[in-house]
Amino acid sequence: MPINAVGREVPSEINGQRFKPFAGDLKTPPEGRRAGSLIRMAPRSRSKVVNSLEEVIKKVGLEDGMTVSFHHHLRNGDFVVNMVMETIRKMGIKDIRVFPTALFPVHEPLVPMLTDGTIRRIEGSMNGPLGEATSYGVMRETAVLRSHSGRVRAVESEEVHIDVAFIAAPTADPYGNLNGVDGPSACGPLAYGMVDAYHADHTVAITDHLVPYPAHPISIFQHQIDYVVPVDRIGDPQGIMSGTLRITTSPSRLKIARYALEVIDRVALRDGFSFQAGAGGISLAVTKFLGDLMRKRGIKASFINGGVTKYVVDMLHEGLVDVVFDGQAFDLDAVKSLKEDKNHIETPLAMYGNPYSSGGIVNMLDVGVLGATEVDIDFNVNVNTHSDGLLLHGIGGHQEVAAGSALTIITVPLYRYRVPVIRERVTTVTTPGEVVDVVVTEHGIAINPKRDDIIEAMRGSKVPIWDIQDLQKKAYQICGKPQEPKTTDDIIAAILWRDGTIIDVVYKVKK
Amino acid sequence: MPINAVGREVPSEINGQRFKPFAGDLKTPPEGRRAGSLIRMAPRSRSKVVNSLEEVIKKVGLEDGMTVSFHHHLRNGDFVVNMVMETIRKMGIKDIRVFPTALFPVHEPLVPMLTDGTIRRIEGSMNGPLGEATSYGVMRETAVLRSHSGRVRAVESEEVHIDVAFIAAPTADPYGNLNGVDGPSACGPLAYGMVDAYHADHTVAITDHLVPYPAHPISIFQHQIDYVVPVDRIGDPQGIMSGTLRITTSPSRLKIARYALEVIDRVALRDGFSFQAGAGGISLAVTKFLGDLMRKRGIKASFINGGVTKYVVDMLHEGLVDVVFDGQAFDLDAVKSLKEDKNHIETPLAMYGNPYSSGGIVNMLDVGVLGATEVDIDFNVNVNTHSDGLLLHGIGGHQEVAAGSALTIITVPLYRYRVPVIRERVTTVTTPGEVVDVVVTEHGIAINPKRDDIIEAMRGSKVPIWDIQDLQKKAYQICGKPQEPKTTDDIIAAILWRDGTIIDVVYKVKK
């Protein structure tokens, strides 16, 4: 097997499909043209409503071996994946490739379908039980994980051909205009579903809030939707929304946030700057502290790219930022703002960070603040597996935000539960060190040596600055040398870089 | 040559490309898949600004014989088509196919380029001088005219492959986010340019209002734009906006509007109904009268599909309509409303009335009020040529609005300048009688005999109801039998139905 640019041995074929080894960001140029979607002619009818999933699955002609897709805006509150897959199972359709943007613990009912012949493989993020089951070798074929933008690229290039897209729609009208800002299962944007709506051979919206024509606002437009299926409930608001997100209260995590803030302040903070931070406790703290600092300094950001939370919305309302780009809403404040604020813009995922486009939002980011399960002394980052080898998380937008941001900061504790986070070698490479600039821990920061400008900017700071190898040694001192995960040689998942090259593989974990 | 479904003899080949004869609306099913656009990889750069048209034309590699496209949101105030084509001419690039959505009298400077080798043909609407020159046989190849939606279909199916799209952008940021609602050349939506932005091999935005990143709102997104060229002025507001549109003051035209209103009232007016009417004097009067009637009756429309004018915006603000769909803005009130009102929605042209999609807005229209240059006793409508045979107008959305609307009304005077408008045979068939329901003149109305329901609904009305042949005879009585246009056998233009079949051809006019 070839060795790729981060030193990992990777196969050149996965599930019979050829993939190139990772060669570095923007080092593998695209080839050819995008896939063309199937041309349909809508019949003379003013309603696309079909009354059951079984009926619609018959109408679209779903067959053994086909690919069905889902978006994950309903997150851990989603009912749609389970109800569609259960219907498929009951109908006796086999060997389905499931192509979600992401799956969550709520989707555990799919685990038995991995062995009963319904599902041959899942290509998408698997947070929790499905990832764990996959790690133990339960899935017949090999899982393929892509970043948000990598998935868009894969659909556009027909690396993955979607036969039927099942699109959860918190609001839909009978002719297929959809949005996510209204209804009992409101989730905010429908950005993850857009590329599926455009490219799938058949498109089915599933809604629990059918409104008179025309639904508005419109996130996904009627001319891309073939059928609308009303159901009782598409989700559980408790699981869709994260509730009121809490800033971390841990003193060591707060220290990480403060260190990150100082790096941002010294390197990137200026009028018109831009940033992206997630919804984790440390990221929220960074966002909050950054807002405070901007207020104090009279600095205004040009845009924040989200994952949007209340903290971001507050900054928008306060005039601390011109524009919020929204691919995903984490709380009801974000949903409400998306609905009401003209400068809170839902962005098609194709605009996010697909390298095979005329340029994504991430290319304009000054600062990206990201997390990790592990970081190694080459600044490689793992967000997919835990140190025991289990595949428990998706890639999200990690790769493209890291690749695009002028300043990419990874905020991590030095160790978790006596297991070093800063290590000699990450269990899995999700994001290569070449696009990571600063690693921030509660013990201090490590700066990628190729970033002289950041090293220079941090001179005189009271933030402890470490060589990353020393940080790693410190972690090992405290925790002891970490154990290797107990894995076999069987590859259970491929991790693709956003350009479709293989950056790493995940091995089967011994029970 | 085959005879098509409206009895016209049409060629099976135009410019070496094969076309089917018109077979009736929705009678020619689509084949295959949409075209896939060229995949590009944006370089590491935060600016796509190129400082001259010549430089950008070199960068995109425009060569002899290629196709360049334009949108017409700047209408008769547009400077972009002329400046791009003049640059191409000066650079000595030859045999260009010009593929605009529409051209106007302001584009007369292209006439000499039809003979000097710069332009081999124009495929698009030609309002005025270019149409006239084409009628006299000046264009080397044959013009092809498509409706708004037919053009989308043609691009999607690669019936027309766009090498370079030049997109006039009233507002742009350096990374290619575009809108039409701000800047000195504000025009409203950029809907006509969207399919070009998606499908063209190369995309160039041309702007006179470069704003800091990110421009917002965003009509065309950065990931589809390769270059941004700032210029002094992209247009003349006097020609972009129609000024304050005037309702007709002619008593006979007002009578037409009142008759049309009565038809709408008896056939379609009810809570939640929907309609589309244009920006002509009669259409404006119908819109205004309809608003008055709705107010009086307490009736609210679900949506108006535009061409949007002040009259429509007033209805939106007054709560007489839920949603305005906007593909084109005719005055500054419409632009302002598009910018500010959340339920004033810019619709991608692909959503308008493309039959080869999962269903356009027009399919949901209850009432469409349209004009004509001629109507014949088979209810066929001509909007392209005058009775002297000259090709002076584009198709616009006429075909799809007529085809989609449950009630399609053609409002025309019985004659113009002593030339009958209601005739035995239209000079050119733009829209077939099968999708036309009622013809309204100042002398009364004619109802398509296949619409028993409308005949029934109009029983007891004081509006004079005619057999269309009697209306035609009345016109001939007043004006005399019209002269045949003096044409040769040379085909100078093909008129395509929205599905890409040939509905008619236009012949060369003798000088």
Side-chain angles (χ1 to χ4, degrees):
Chain A
M1 296 203 298
I3 307 286
N4 72 12
V6 285
R8 300 286 164 132
E9 202 177 1
V10 296
S12 41
E13 218 178 272
I14 298 279
N15 301 315
Q17 193 168 5
R18 295 199 65 81
F19 290 91
K20 293 177 184 167
F22 172 69
D25 188 46
L26 302 187
K27 289 289 163 57
T28 304
E31 286 164 16
R33 310 188 73 83
R34 294 194 174 84
S37 52
L38 186 69
I39 304 180
R40 289 91 95 185
M41 183 166 76
R44 275 195 209 287
S45 157
R46 288 186 161 202
S47 173
K48 300 174 182 175
V49 172
V50 171
N51 283 316
S52 79
L53 285 174
E54 187 168 346
E55 191 184 339
V56 88
I57 287 169
K58 284 181 188 157
K59 274 181 184 283
V60 298
L62 187 72
E63 290 175 10
D64 291 359
M66 282 188 171
T67 298
V68 299
S69 82
F70 304 93
H71 70 69
H72 77 274
H73 285 288
L74 304 185
R75 283 183 286 261
N76 201 36
D78 173 65
F79 293 168
V80 167
V81 171
N82 291 348
M83 74 173 80
V84 169
M85 290 311 302
E86 180 58 21
T87 307
I88 288 172
R89 190 192 64 75
K90 280 191 184 150
M91 290 171 76
I93 302 169
K94 299 290 184 191
D95 299 333
I96 291 296
R97 173 167 63 169
V98 179
F99 184 56
T101 55
L103 297 175
F104 290 83
V106 72
H107 300 117
E108 192 165 1
L110 267 59
V111 172
M113 297 187 204
L114 293 172
T115 47
D116 73 5
T118 307
I119 297 173
R120 60 189 161 99
R121 72 175 185 264
I122 295 171
E123 297 197 26
S125 296
M126 294 178 282
N127 298 289
L130 276 159
E132 188 174 342
T134 301
S135 285
Y136 290 127
V138 165
M139 192 183 291
R140 178 146 44 103
E141 297 180 349
T142 307
V144 180
L145 271 71
R146 297 175 180 84
S147 72
H148 293 332
S149 300
R151 185 180 183 278
V152 170
R153 178 204 50 72
V155 174
E156 288 189 346
S157 67
E158 198 144 274
E159 180 179 299
V160 177
H161 177 83
I162 304 171
D163 293 297
V164 189
F166 292 95
I167 300 172
T171 296
D173 68 39
Y175 211 59
N177 292 300
L178 317 179
N179 75 56
V181 296
D182 282 317
S185 305
C187 62
L190 295 180
Y192 292 119
M194 289 179 182
V195 75
D196 302 42
Y198 186 87
H199 281 278
D201 282 359
H202 306 282
T203 47
V204 178
I206 301 173
T207 191
D208 55 7
H209 190 231
L210 191 65
V211 299
Y213 185 92
H216 58 96
I218 305 175
S219 292
I220 292 178
F221 290 85
Q222 61 180 52
H223 62 287
Q224 300 180 340
I225 298 296
D226 298 319
Y227 300 104
V228 177
V229 181
V231 297
D232 282 348
R233 290 178 70 198
I234 62 167
D236 171 9
Q238 298 291 329
I240 299 170
M241 288 293 123
S242 314
T244 305
L245 290 159
R246 301 268 173 219
I247 289 177
T248 182
T249 52
S250 141
S252 69
R253 300 289 202 275
L254 284 170
K255 193 187 267 187
I256 295 173
R258 264 185 242 108
Y259 286 169
L261 185 72
E262 169 133 359
V263 176
I264 295 169
D265 185 14
R266 284 175 168 257
V267 175
L269 194 64
R270 62 177 185 286
D271 222 41
F273 89 117
S274 60
F275 78 97
Q276 169 158 8
I282 298 175
S283 289
L284 287 176
V286 173
T287 302
K288 167 132 196 345
F289 294 166
L290 196 52
D292 293 342
L293 189 60
M294 289 164 66
R295 211 170 283 120
K296 191 171 137 195
R297 298 263 180 84
I299 284 173
K300 190 174 170 180
S302 55
F303 73 94
I304 298 175
N305 193 30
V308 179
T309 60
K310 175 184 188 305
Y311 300 96
V312 169
V313 170
D314 287 348
M315 290 173 74
L316 182 71
H317 289 168
E318 214 183 315
L320 285 176
V321 58
D322 268 338
V323 169
V324 171
F325 285 135
D326 192 344
Q328 184 167 202
F330 285 109
D331 55 35
L332 287 173
D333 294 84
V335 174
K336 186 161 181 282
S337 167
L338 178 61
K339 187 176 169 184
E340 293 174 1
D341 297 325
K342 273 264 179 184
N343 52 349
H344 183 160
I345 298 174
E346 178 171 2
T347 48
L349 249 289
M351 185 197 182
Y352 190 69
N354 178 2
Y356 291 176
S357 79
S358 299
I361 296 169
V362 298
N363 295 2
M364 301 301 279
L365 274 173
D366 289 321
V367 181
V369 180
L370 298 162
T373 56
E374 300 174 339
V375 180
D376 72 20
I377 55 174
D378 296 319
F379 289 85
N380 294 321
V381 176
N382 175 15
V383 301
N384 295 119
T385 55
H386 283 199
S387 301
D388 56 8
L390 289 174
L391 175 66
L392 294 174
H393 308 282
I395 300 171
H398 199 282
Q399 294 178 339
E400 43 267 20
V401 173
S405 299
L407 169 64
T408 299
I409 296 175
I410 307 294
T411 56
V412 278
L414 192 63
Y415 54 89
R416 291 186 183 100
Y417 306 108
R418 312 301 291 178
V419 178
V421 169
I422 313 290
R423 310 160 64 89
E424 286 177 281
R425 189 174 184 276
V426 287
T427 306
T428 306
V429 184
T430 308
T431 296
E434 64 168 282
V435 297
V436 172
D437 300 310
V438 183
V439 176
V440 179
T441 74
E442 71 279 26
H443 290 262
I445 69 170
I447 303 171
N448 191 322
K450 69 173 186 161
R451 289 300 299 266
D452 291 333
D453 58 326
I454 300 176
I455 294 167
E456 187 58 37
M458 290 307 293
R459 223 179 278 282
S461 163
K462 285 182 182 159
V463 174
I465 299 176
W466 297 66
D467 185 293
I468 195 156
Q469 280 167 309
D470 294 332
L471 265 188
Q472 170 256 312
K473 281 172 194 155
K474 175 90 184 167
Y476 284 22
Q477 259 173 27
I478 296 170
C479 308
K481 189 173 154 66
Q483 293 191 332
E484 289 294 306
K486 296 186 178 61
T487 52
T488 74
D489 287 343
D490 300 324
I491 294 170
I492 56 96
I495 309 294
L496 302 191
W497 181 241
R498 61 176 183 151
D499 62 6
T501 58
I502 303 183
I503 191 158
D504 208 347
V505 292
V506 182
Y507 293 96
K508 182 174 166 178
V509 174
K510 292 178 193 159
K511 275 248 180 183
Chain B
M1 296 202 298
I3 307 286
N4 71 12
V6 285
R8 300 285 164 132
E9 202 177 0
V10 297
S12 41
E13 219 178 271
I14 299 280
N15 301 314
Q17 193 167 5
R18 294 198 66 82
F19 290 91
K20 293 176 184 167
F22 172 70
D25 188 47
L26 302 186
K27 289 289 163 57
T28 304
E31 286 164 17
R33 310 188 72 83
R34 294 194 175 83
S37 52
L38 186 69
I39 304 180
R40 288 91 94 186
M41 182 167 76
R44 274 195 210 288
S45 157
R46 287 186 162 202
S47 173
K48 300 174 181 174
V49 171
V50 170
N51 284 316
S52 79
L53 285 175
E54 187 168 345
E55 192 184 339
V56 88
I57 287 169
K58 283 181 188 157
K59 274 181 183 284
V60 298
L62 187 72
E63 289 175 11
D64 292 357
M66 282 188 170
T67 298
V68 299
S69 82
F70 304 93
H71 70 68
H72 77 273
H73 285 289
L74 304 186
R75 283 184 286 262
N76 201 36
D78 173 65
F79 293 168
V80 167
V81 172
N82 291 349
M83 74 173 83
V84 169
M85 290 311 302
E86 180 58 20
T87 307
I88 289 172
R89 191 193 63 76
K90 280 192 183 150
M91 290 172 75
I93 302 169
K94 299 289 184 189
D95 299 334
I96 292 296
R97 173 168 62 169
V98 179
F99 184 56
T101 54
L103 297 174
F104 289 83
V106 71
H107 300 116
E108 192 165 1
L110 267 60
V111 172
M113 297 187 204
L114 292 172
T115 47
D116 73 5
T118 307
I119 297 173
R120 61 189 161 99
R121 72 175 185 264
I122 296 171
E123 297 197 26
S125 296
M126 294 178 281
N127 298 289
L130 276 159
E132 188 173 342
T134 301
S135 286
Y136 290 127
V138 165
M139 192 183 293
R140 177 145 46 103
E141 297 180 348
T142 307
V144 180
L145 272 71
R146 297 175 179 86
S147 72
H148 293 332
S149 300
R151 185 180 182 277
V152 169
R153 178 204 50 72
V155 173
E156 288 189 346
S157 66
E158 198 144 273
E159 181 179 298
V160 177
H161 177 83
I162 304 172
D163 293 296
V164 188
F166 292 95
I167 300 172
T171 296
D173 67 38
Y175 212 59
N177 292 301
L178 317 180
N179 75 57
V181 297
D182 282 317
S185 305
C187 62
L190 295 180
Y192 292 118
M194 289 179 182
V195 74
D196 301 43
Y198 186 86
H199 280 279
D201 282 358
H202 306 282
T203 46
V204 178
I206 300 174
T207 191
D208 55 8
H209 190 231
L210 191 65
V211 299
Y213 184 91
H216 58 96
I218 305 175
S219 292
I220 293 179
F221 290 85
Q222 61 181 51
H223 62 287
Q224 299 180 339
I225 297 297
D226 298 319
Y227 299 104
V228 177
V229 181
V231 297
D232 282 347
R233 290 177 70 198
I234 62 167
D236 171 9
Q238 298 291 329
I240 299 170
M241 289 293 123
S242 314
T244 304
L245 290 159
R246 302 266 173 220
I247 289 177
T248 183
T249 53
S250 140
S252 70
R253 300 290 202 274
L254 284 171
K255 193 187 266 187
I256 296 172
R258 264 184 244 109
Y259 286 169
L261 185 73
E262 170 134 359
V263 176
I264 295 169
D265 185 14
R266 283 174 169 259
V267 175
L269 194 65
R270 63 177 183 285
D271 222 40
F273 89 118
S274 60
F275 78 98
Q276 169 159 7
I282 298 175
S283 290
L284 288 176
V286 173
T287 302
K288 167 130 195 346
F289 294 165
L290 195 52
D292 294 343
L293 189 61
M294 289 164 67
R295 212 170 283 122
K296 191 171 137 194
R297 299 262 180 83
I299 284 173
K300 190 173 170 180
S302 56
F303 73 93
I304 298 176
N305 193 30
V308 179
T309 60
K310 176 184 188 307
Y311 300 96
V312 169
V313 170
D314 287 348
M315 290 173 73
L316 182 71
H317 289 169
E318 215 184 315
L320 286 176
V321 58
D322 268 338
V323 169
V324 171
F325 284 135
D326 192 344
Q328 183 167 203
F330 285 109
D331 55 35
L332 287 173
D333 294 84
V335 175
K336 186 161 181 283
S337 167
L338 178 62
K339 187 177 170 184
E340 293 174 1
D341 297 325
K342 274 263 180 185
N343 52 350
H344 183 160
I345 298 174
E346 179 171 1
T347 48
L349 249 288
M351 185 196 183
Y352 190 70
N354 178 3
Y356 291 177
S357 79
S358 299
I361 297 170
V362 298
N363 295 3
M364 300 301 279
L365 274 173
D366 289 320
V367 181
V369 180
L370 298 162
T373 56
E374 301 173 338
V375 180
D376 72 20
I377 54 174
D378 296 319
F379 288 85
N380 294 321
V381 176
N382 175 14
V383 301
N384 295 119
T385 55
H386 282 200
S387 301
D388 56 8
L390 289 174
L391 175 66
L392 294 174
H393 307 282
I395 301 171
H398 199 282
Q399 294 178 340
E400 42 267 20
V401 173
S405 300
L407 169 63
T408 299
I409 296 175
I410 308 293
T411 56
V412 278
L414 193 64
Y415 53 89
R416 292 187 182 99
Y417 306 107
R418 312 301 292 178
V419 178
V421 169
I422 312 290
R423 310 159 64 87
E424 286 177 282
R425 188 173 184 278
V426 287
T427 306
T428 306
V429 183
T430 308
T431 296
E434 64 169 281
V435 297
V436 172
D437 301 311
V438 183
V439 176
V440 179
T441 74
E442 71 279 27
H443 289 262
I445 70 170
I447 303 170
N448 191 322
K450 71 174 185 160
R451 288 301 299 265
D452 291 334
D453 58 326
I454 300 176
I455 294 167
E456 187 57 37
M458 291 306 294
R459 224 178 278 282
S461 163
K462 285 183 183 160
V463 174
I465 299 176
W466 297 67
D467 186 294
I468 193 155
Q469 280 167 308
D470 294 331
L471 264 188
Q472 170 256 312
K473 282 174 194 154
K474 175 91 184 166
Y476 284 22
Q477 260 172 27
I478 296 170
C479 308
K481 189 173 155 66
Q483 293 191 332
E484 289 294 306
K486 295 185 178 61
T487 51
T488 74
D489 287 343
D490 300 323
I491 294 171
I492 57 96
I495 309 294
L496 302 190
W497 180 241
R498 61 176 183 150
D499 62 6
T501 58
I502 303 183
I503 191 158
D504 208 347
V505 292
V506 182
Y507 292 96
K508 182 173 166 179
V509 174
K510 292 179 194 159
K511 275 249 179 182

PDB file of all heavy atoms in Angstrom, chain A residues 306-319:
ATOM      1  N   GLY A 306     -20.542  29.893  10.756  1.00  0.00           N
ATOM      2  CA  GLY A 306     -21.050  29.024  11.812  1.00  0.00           C
ATOM      3  C   GLY A 306     -21.404  27.659  11.321  1.00  0.00           C
ATOM      4  O   GLY A 306     -21.466  27.480  10.140  1.00  0.00           O
ATOM      5  N   GLY A 307     -21.716  26.791  12.121  1.00  0.00           N
ATOM      6  CA  GLY A 307     -22.207  26.547  13.442  1.00  0.00           C
ATOM      7  C   GLY A 307     -22.512  27.820  14.220  1.00  0.00           C
ATOM      8  O   GLY A 307     -21.593  28.412  14.766  1.00  0.00           O
ATOM      9  N   VAL A 308     -23.841  28.161  14.288  1.00  0.00           N
ATOM     10  CA  VAL A 308     -24.228  29.404  14.933  1.00  0.00           C
ATOM     11  C   VAL A 308     -24.884  29.110  16.276  1.00  0.00           C
ATOM     12  O   VAL A 308     -25.694  28.192  16.399  1.00  0.00           O
ATOM     13  CB  VAL A 308     -25.189  30.206  14.029  1.00  0.00           C
ATOM     14  CG1 VAL A 308     -25.609  31.494  14.709  1.00  0.00           C
ATOM     15  CG2 VAL A 308     -24.522  30.503  12.693  1.00  0.00           C
ATOM     16  N   THR A 309     -24.504  29.924  17.264  1.00  0.00           N
ATOM     17  CA  THR A 309     -25.057  29.809  18.614  1.00  0.00           C
ATOM     18  C   THR A 309     -25.568  31.174  19.054  1.00  0.00           C
ATOM     19  O   THR A 309     -25.334  32.184  18.388  1.00  0.00           O
ATOM     20  CB  THR A 309     -23.968  29.381  19.610  1.00  0.00           C
ATOM     21  OG1 THR A 309     -22.942  30.384  19.596  1.00  0.00           O
ATOM     22  CG2 THR A 309     -23.361  28.037  19.235  1.00  0.00           C
ATOM     23  N   LYS A 310     -26.232  31.188  20.202  1.00  0.00           N
ATOM     24  CA  LYS A 310     -26.716  32.423  20.809  1.00  0.00           C
ATOM     25  C   LYS A 310     -25.603  33.465  20.925  1.00  0.00           C
ATOM     26  O   LYS A 310     -25.834  34.658  20.726  1.00  0.00           O
ATOM     27  CB  LYS A 310     -27.264  32.085  22.199  1.00  0.00           C
ATOM     28  CG  LYS A 310     -27.711  33.284  23.016  1.00  0.00           C
ATOM     29  CD  LYS A 310     -28.139  32.849  24.409  1.00  0.00           C
ATOM     30  CE  LYS A 310     -28.782  34.002  25.166  1.00  0.00           C
ATOM     31  NZ  LYS A 310     -27.931  35.197  25.246  1.00  0.00           N
ATOM     32  N   TYR A 311     -24.394  33.015  21.237  1.00  0.00           N
ATOM     33  CA  TYR A 311     -23.299  33.965  21.440  1.00  0.00           C
ATOM     34  C   TYR A 311     -22.983  34.712  20.151  1.00  0.00           C
ATOM     35  O   TYR A 311     -22.678  35.898  20.153  1.00  0.00           O
ATOM     36  CB  TYR A 311     -22.061  33.232  21.973  1.00  0.00           C
ATOM     37  CG  TYR A 311     -22.346  32.561  23.294  1.00  0.00           C
ATOM     38  CD1 TYR A 311     -22.695  31.217  23.362  1.00  0.00           C
ATOM     39  CD2 TYR A 311     -22.340  33.301  24.476  1.00  0.00           C
ATOM     40  CE1 TYR A 311     -23.008  30.614  24.575  1.00  0.00           C
ATOM     41  CE2 TYR A 311     -22.653  32.711  25.695  1.00  0.00           C
ATOM     42  CZ  TYR A 311     -22.990  31.364  25.735  1.00  0.00           C
ATOM     43  OH  TYR A 311     -23.309  30.789  26.931  1.00  0.00           O
ATOM     44  N   VAL A 312     -23.079  34.006  19.041  1.00  0.00           N
ATOM     45  CA  VAL A 312     -22.843  34.624  17.735  1.00  0.00           C
ATOM     46  C   VAL A 312     -23.990  35.570  17.391  1.00  0.00           C
ATOM     47  O   VAL A 312     -23.780  36.692  16.915  1.00  0.00           O
ATOM     48  CB  VAL A 312     -22.673  33.531  16.655  1.00  0.00           C
ATOM     49  CG1 VAL A 312     -22.696  34.137  15.262  1.00  0.00           C
ATOM     50  CG2 VAL A 312     -21.386  32.744  16.894  1.00  0.00           C
ATOM     51  N   VAL A 313     -25.210  35.117  17.656  1.00  0.00           N
ATOM     52  CA  VAL A 313     -26.384  35.944  17.362  1.00  0.00           C
ATOM     53  C   VAL A 313     -26.337  37.243  18.169  1.00  0.00           C
ATOM     54  O   VAL A 313     -26.628  38.326  17.647  1.00  0.00           O
ATOM     55  CB  VAL A 313     -27.683  35.160  17.661  1.00  0.00           C
ATOM     56  CG1 VAL A 313     -28.903  36.072  17.602  1.00  0.00           C
ATOM     57  CG2 VAL A 313     -27.827  33.993  16.689  1.00  0.00           C
ATOM     58  N   ASP A 314     -25.941  37.138  19.430  1.00  0.00           N
ATOM     59  CA  ASP A 314     -25.826  38.347  20.256  1.00  0.00           C
ATOM     60  C   ASP A 314     -24.849  39.336  19.625  1.00  0.00           C
ATOM     61  O   ASP A 314     -25.093  40.543  19.602  1.00  0.00           O
ATOM     62  CB  ASP A 314     -25.352  37.985  21.672  1.00  0.00           C
ATOM     63  CG  ASP A 314     -26.453  37.311  22.490  1.00  0.00           C
ATOM     64  OD1 ASP A 314     -27.625  37.343  22.045  1.00  0.00           O
ATOM     65  OD2 ASP A 314     -26.144  36.745  23.547  1.00  0.00           O
ATOM     66  N   MET A 315     -23.737  38.823  19.123  1.00  0.00           N
ATOM     67  CA  MET A 315     -22.748  39.705  18.493  1.00  0.00           C
ATOM     68  C   MET A 315     -23.322  40.361  17.239  1.00  0.00           C
ATOM     69  O   MET A 315     -23.065  41.528  16.959  1.00  0.00           O
ATOM     70  CB  MET A 315     -21.476  38.915  18.153  1.00  0.00           C
ATOM     71  CG  MET A 315     -20.697  38.510  19.406  1.00  0.00           C
ATOM     72  SD  MET A 315     -19.298  37.402  19.055  1.00  0.00           S
ATOM     73  CE  MET A 315     -18.148  38.563  18.323  1.00  0.00           C
ATOM     74  N   LEU A 316     -24.124  39.594  16.506  1.00  0.00           N
ATOM     75  CA  LEU A 316     -24.763  40.148  15.303  1.00  0.00           C
ATOM     76  C   LEU A 316     -25.715  41.279  15.684  1.00  0.00           C
ATOM     77  O   LEU A 316     -25.690  42.367  15.100  1.00  0.00           O
ATOM     78  CB  LEU A 316     -25.518  39.037  14.563  1.00  0.00           C
ATOM     79  CG  LEU A 316     -26.202  39.429  13.250  1.00  0.00           C
ATOM     80  CD1 LEU A 316     -25.171  39.703  12.162  1.00  0.00           C
ATOM     81  CD2 LEU A 316     -27.157  38.329  12.774  1.00  0.00           C
ATOM     82  N   HIS A 317     -26.529  41.017  16.690  1.00  0.00           N
ATOM     83  CA  HIS A 317     -27.524  42.017  17.094  1.00  0.00           C
ATOM     84  C   HIS A 317     -26.867  43.257  17.682  1.00  0.00           C
ATOM     85  O   HIS A 317     -27.395  44.356  17.593  1.00  0.00           O
ATOM     86  CB  HIS A 317     -28.506  41.400  18.099  1.00  0.00           C
ATOM     87  CG  HIS A 317     -29.429  40.406  17.468  1.00  0.00           C
ATOM     88  ND1 HIS A 317     -30.224  39.564  18.187  1.00  0.00           N
ATOM     89  CD2 HIS A 317     -29.680  40.119  16.166  1.00  0.00           C
ATOM     90  CE1 HIS A 317     -30.926  38.796  17.366  1.00  0.00           C
ATOM     91  NE2 HIS A 317     -30.605  39.116  16.139  1.00  0.00           N
ATOM     92  N   GLU A 318     -25.716  43.030  18.293  1.00  0.00           N
ATOM     93  CA  GLU A 318     -25.012  44.145  18.915  1.00  0.00           C
ATOM     94  C   GLU A 318     -24.199  44.937  17.890  1.00  0.00           C
ATOM     95  O   GLU A 318     -23.605  45.962  18.221  1.00  0.00           O
ATOM     96  CB  GLU A 318     -24.065  43.563  19.973  1.00  0.00           C
ATOM     97  CG  GLU A 318     -23.891  44.431  21.187  1.00  0.00           C
ATOM     98  CD  GLU A 318     -22.878  43.810  22.140  1.00  0.00           C
ATOM     99  OE1 GLU A 318     -22.951  42.585  22.380  1.00  0.00           O
ATOM    100  OE2 GLU A 318     -22.011  44.555  22.620  1.00  0.00           O
ATOM    101  N   GLY A 319     -24.146  44.430  16.668  1.00  0.00           N
ATOM    102  CA  GLY A 319     -23.382  45.125  15.639  1.00  0.00           C
ATOM    103  C   GLY A 319     -21.893  44.838  15.709  1.00  0.00           C
ATOM    104  O   GLY A 319     -21.084  45.546  15.114  1.00  0.00           O
TER     105      GLY A 319
END
